[in-house]
Amino acid sequence: MKEREEENVVALYAEEQQPESQEWQKSIPAQVFLNYFFAINYHIKNTSGNGLEQLAFFREVKPELTEKDTEAVKRLLLNSWSTEYALRATAELGDEAYMRNALHWTFPQAYYTVFAGLQAFLRTRGVNTNNDALVLREAGRLVVKNAYPHAISFYASGHYDDFNVHRLPLAHYKPGLQIAGKELEAQAQIGQFLRTTRRMKAKAVRQFVQGNAATAIRSSKTGEILQKFGPQHWQQLTWRIGYTTLFDLMARLRISSSHREIERFVQAEIDFKLFHESLLEIVSYLNGIHECYVAQAMGLQQYEAFVQELPKHLQNSFVAARLKEQIKPLLLPGEEDYQLGAAA
């Protein structure tokens, strides 16, 4: 299933923007992908009220973690942080030629560091799974429930080619090929990214369902497995897709390092440094959100002790910086309330 998804991912680059010439063809798919992630980062940085303190979901008292849950969460965070460390190491080298060729691993690193942090957050909510599709579906439900700040609470729903984009009021505008310089352009590009990604997911689900004789939708007249889908057939699959959120957009980075399509990115004439910076800032923001939730569930004192005992490469790093700059200011004023609530 994962291989099929990856094939669909690369096929959709051409679908998102049709190149006008062979020369354009070399760079447009990569430029569009850069535009998308730059637009997401632009939207996050230019949307007010981006913290968790304003969310009712965050203030809800959650069940206390068991020792088993706590250890599992710690392992997931270590995976997330070690992957983010590797992603940041590429930026420290600073050479654009290096960053260009580093796409083979920075793309999947950006996704898997966020995925591990998301798993840690879900574990504090009683969701324990390594299945990518289930994790993304649970994340979608939390996005819709307003568990995330407004800047990343957008999502797409609906049946194939009848999609609705929510919480992005400017998403219906047609995006251009330029880097977003206004909120309208950023939302237009994110909206397109949501729609094309949801279309990709729908096609992958159809391929999976129709490839199994036991689950395939068949013709009511002949009983044969359907080859062509109409709206009524697509509607039978929509429930399998769930909501399409930022986490599904991050999953678009799961490109095999051996796939020929990555070479088109490497050979493209785009700003690779800007691409890497955009990815890293999105990763840092998302991981910070999940760390706040985990620290809340563990209790600030236990979380601090865990951070102080991290392996050498993570000591005094971005982990400690986010603890000081984001988590402590958020949890210190009400830490006693959280502990009392959990104990109750």
Side-chain angles (χ1 to χ4, degrees):
M1 181 66 175
K2 184 176 287 187
E3 290 179 0
R4 290 175 181 173
E5 286 183 355
E6 288 174 351
E7 289 172 2
N8 283 326
V9 167
V10 298
L12 274 162
Y13 294 146
E15 183 177 323
E16 283 160 343
Q17 291 285 351
Q18 291 296 331
E20 298 176 359
S21 67
Q22 289 185 347
E23 193 63 31
W24 268 96
Q25 191 173 5
K26 294 179 181 178
S27 294
I28 280 191
Q31 184 64 52
V32 170
F33 224 44
L34 165 57
N35 290 354
Y36 287 160
F37 286 100
F38 181 87
I40 292 167
N41 195 37
Y42 181 96
H43 180 64
I44 291 172
K45 292 196 291 189
N46 288 277
T47 302
S48 59
N50 259 343
L52 292 171
E53 64 278 354
Q54 300 176 354
L55 299 182
F57 186 94
F58 181 77
R59 293 300 179 187
E60 293 175 6
V61 175
K62 302 299 184 298
E64 190 172 0
L65 294 181
T66 65
E67 185 175 342
K68 182 179 179 181
D69 287 333
T70 300
E71 291 307 309
V73 166
K74 287 180 178 180
R75 287 194 299 272
L76 288 165
L77 285 181
L78 278 173
N79 289 340
S80 174
W81 292 334
S82 292
T83 309
E84 183 177 346
Y85 175 87
L87 185 65
R88 287 172 176 269
T90 301
E92 289 177 5
L93 292 171
D95 182 84
E96 184 164 344
Y98 179 79
M99 288 187 184
R100 176 190 295 264
N101 291 283
L103 291 182
H104 289 280
W105 60 85
T106 55
F107 271 12
Q109 281 173 347
Y111 169 67
Y112 284 112
T113 178
V114 169
F115 184 78
L118 173 58
Q119 282 185 290
F121 169 38
L122 291 177
R123 186 66 185 252
T124 68
R125 295 309 190 267
V127 179
N128 177 21
T129 179
N130 291 320
N131 183 287
D132 288 29
L134 291 178
V135 169
L136 291 174
R137 184 176 296 181
E138 288 299 323
R141 290 173 180 167
L142 288 170
V143 168
V144 174
K145 288 181 179 179
N146 290 305
Y148 289 93
H150 180 65
I152 55 172
S153 68
F154 53 79
Y155 65 97
S157 64
H159 308 304
Y160 184 81
D161 272 352
D162 187 23
F163 303 141
N164 297 306
V165 176
H166 306 265
R167 301 172 183 165
L168 280 178
L170 306 176
H172 61 281
Y173 284 95
K174 182 177 176 61
L177 271 176
Q178 70 274 21
I179 289 287
K182 296 181 179 179
E183 183 62 17
L184 185 151
E185 186 64 27
Q187 290 194 29
Q189 291 179 3
I190 297 171
Q192 179 173 265
F193 200 9
L194 286 167
R195 287 186 289 268
T196 54
T197 299
R198 189 165 181 82
R199 188 175 298 118
M200 177 200 77
K201 290 182 68 177
K203 287 181 177 180
V205 167
R206 181 181 71 172
Q207 188 176 19
F208 178 77
V209 170
Q210 295 304 94
N212 185 334
T215 60
I217 299 174
R218 298 174 180 269
S219 168
S220 58
K221 295 181 180 179
T222 66
E224 297 293 319
I225 294 176
L226 280 179
Q227 301 299 317
K228 293 184 178 181
F229 267 39
Q232 72 275 23
H233 305 119
W234 284 110
Q235 289 171 16
Q236 295 179 53
L237 301 181
T238 302
W239 67 272
R240 293 175 178 266
I241 304 172
Y243 301 104
T244 303
T245 71
L246 172 56
F247 298 104
D248 295 289
L249 306 187
M250 295 299 292
R252 292 282 297 271
L253 295 167
R254 290 179 301 177
I255 298 176
S256 170
S257 61
S258 63
H259 201 292
R260 62 180 174 79
E261 185 65 22
I262 199 70
E263 294 302 326
R264 292 180 63 187
F265 277 79
V266 171
Q267 295 168 15
E269 294 302 322
I270 62 171
D271 189 336
F272 289 95
K273 193 170 188 297
L274 180 63
F275 204 153
H276 192 276
E277 288 173 356
S278 299
L279 283 180
L280 190 53
E281 288 183 14
I282 294 169
V283 161
S284 183
Y285 178 76
L286 291 175
N287 284 353
I289 293 294
H290 292 143
E291 288 157 25
C292 287
Y293 271 117
V294 170
Q296 179 201 44
M298 288 176 61
L300 183 58
Q301 185 175 1
Q302 186 177 11
Y303 184 86
E304 277 191 286
F306 172 50
V307 171
Q308 290 171 1
E309 297 168 359
L310 288 176
K312 186 176 180 180
H313 70 284
L314 293 172
Q315 287 285 338
N316 301 313
S317 67
F318 55 90
V319 179
R322 288 201 292 256
L323 170 60
K324 178 182 178 181
E325 296 166 10
Q326 298 178 39
I327 298 173
K328 279 189 174 181
L330 182 67
L331 294 185
L332 273 176
E335 179 66 11
E336 291 181 4
D337 294 337
Y338 293 133
Q339 296 302 320
L340 289 172

